[in-house]
Amino acid sequence: MSRPILILLATLGSAALLGGAFAFEYVGGLAPCQLCIYQRWPHAAAIVIGLVALATGWRGLAWLGGMAALTTAGVGVFHVGVEQAWWEGLATCTAGSIEGISTADLLDPSKDVAAVVRCDEIAWSLLGVSMAGWNAILSLALAGLWLKAARTL
């Protein structure tokens, strides 16, 4: 396969994964946790890198696209580890205490006291693999496309 085709496939792959994440959020109603948000940014970067690489033909950008895909895969692996309790997650991903919030505030619908979306709870899975796991697996495949594009003459 030619380098432009590989870059196009990798770019479309990131666009599909990012689009899927937004669909789960806005259509499916699954609010993302902090680690889910962190997994989105490298996909957005990969899409921009891919578009610029396709427009300019600069081969070095394929290495950057590969780094972006490996970054989101790494965050995905970390997220899976948090979900499986292999290691601790981020402090922003755990539900805090409601201590200090008055009963009146808890009962007042105009007050925003929503619970934090937890990173250690699996909101959705397919074939026993969570969304973070699928992101890691598919992003590693995308990294392979990017790296093949970088090495293709």
Side-chain angles (χ1 to χ4, degrees):
M1 251 187 260
S2 69
R3 184 174 7 160
I5 295 297
L6 291 166
I7 290 172
L8 178 64
L9 290 173
T11 302
L12 291 174
S14 278
L17 289 172
L18 189 56
F22 284 122
F24 272 103
E25 180 178 358
Y26 293 107
V27 177
L30 294 177
C33 71
Q34 193 64 46
L35 287 173
C36 293
I37 299 293
Y38 290 161
Q39 289 171 82
R40 293 177 183 188
W41 285 105
H43 282 300
I47 293 165
V48 171
I49 291 166
L51 294 174
V52 173
L54 289 169
T56 65
W58 186 43
R59 182 174 155 179
L61 288 172
W63 290 106
L64 287 176
M67 289 172 46
L70 288 173
T71 299
T72 189
V75 176
V77 168
F78 178 75
H79 193 174
V80 169
V82 171
E83 290 172 339
Q84 299 299 321
W86 296 336
W87 45 70
E88 285 282 317
L90 305 174
T92 57
C93 283
T94 58
S97 168
I98 60 170
E99 185 175 326
I101 301 173
S102 72
T103 305
D105 284 345
L106 286 172
L107 295 174
D108 185 351
S110 68
K111 301 284 184 175
D112 184 16
V113 292
V116 171
V117 178
R118 297 179 58 106
C119 295
D120 57 356
E121 291 180 1
I122 298 172
W124 180 90
S125 67
L126 176 66
L127 303 174
V129 179
S130 69
M131 281 190 278
W134 282 113
N135 180 61
I137 293 165
L138 296 172
S139 294
L140 285 173
L142 294 177
L145 290 174
W146 280 111
L147 298 177
K148 184 164 175 55
R151 301 184 74 209
T152 299
L153 297 175

